[in-house]
Amino acid sequence: VEIEYILKGYEESKLTGAKVIEAVKANDTTKVSTTVIKAVSEVLAITDLAKQYKAAEKLYNVTEEKLNTLTQKLWMHNASMYLNGNKTKIHSHDNKHWVPDVTTRVKTAKVFTCTLKDCEGLTCKFNGVDI
């Protein structure tokens, strides 16, 4: 069973450190959040390289901790969706809010898009279960 949630426009493999810095310098909130822009801008504003490195390391550690917490919560969400669906379905409690993504080119999995307000762009790709 494979379950993967995707936010359109946010591909992890395409968001490199250099691209984050580029987006921060351009103040591009379509690529990174305002929180990221503020935090990275503060680090970039430090002129002493040793102090900048320490600030960047501190920001990295905080980010890493938050990402680990988020990853754990997302894993628990995937597991609970799988178990609530009796190991055959996911989102059995709200499947009316998920529609097949007719624009996908994925052939190896089922792809559904969430229709809830404020969840535009949230997609779920899965194998081995139904919705």
Side-chain angles (χ1 to χ4, degrees):
V1 172
E2 175 189 3
I3 304 169
E4 179 182 356
Y5 290 90
I6 305 155
L7 285 174
K8 285 191 179 159
Y10 291 95
E11 266 189 71
E12 173 185 327
S13 63
K14 292 184 179 178
L15 197 60
T16 64
K19 287 188 179 184
V20 169
I21 290 174
E22 181 182 305
V24 167
K25 287 181 176 178
N27 202 28
D28 189 349
T29 57
T30 63
K31 294 188 177 156
V32 294
S33 71
T34 54
T35 305
V36 170
I37 290 173
K38 182 177 184 266
V40 174
S41 293
E42 288 173 4
V43 172
L44 293 175
I46 300 170
T47 56
D48 181 306
L49 288 180
K51 289 180 182 178
Q52 187 182 55
Y53 177 80
K54 285 185 179 188
E57 188 174 41
K58 183 178 177 184
L59 178 59
Y60 175 82
N61 290 336
V62 168
T63 303
E64 188 70 16
E65 186 178 315
K66 288 184 180 197
L67 280 173
N68 287 338
T69 300
L70 183 58
T71 300
Q72 182 182 20
K73 287 180 181 182
L74 288 172
W75 183 89
M76 289 188 300
H77 172 78
N78 286 355
S80 67
M81 291 291 100
Y82 180 63
L83 293 173
N84 283 341
N86 202 24
K87 299 180 185 177
T88 60
K89 293 183 177 189
I90 58 171
H91 285 281
S92 54
H93 70 289
D94 70 345
N95 60 3
K96 67 180 179 270
H97 299 298
W98 292 90
V99 296
D101 184 346
V102 294
T103 64
T104 187
R105 293 181 283 170
V106 174
K107 304 279 189 235
T108 58
K110 296 175 185 176
V111 181
F112 280 68
T113 302
C114 186
T115 61
L116 284 172
K117 184 180 180 322
D118 296 330
C119 290
E120 296 85 2
L122 177 61
T123 302
C124 186
K125 179 175 83 172
F126 51 92
N127 278 317
V129 290
D130 216 335
I131 204 161

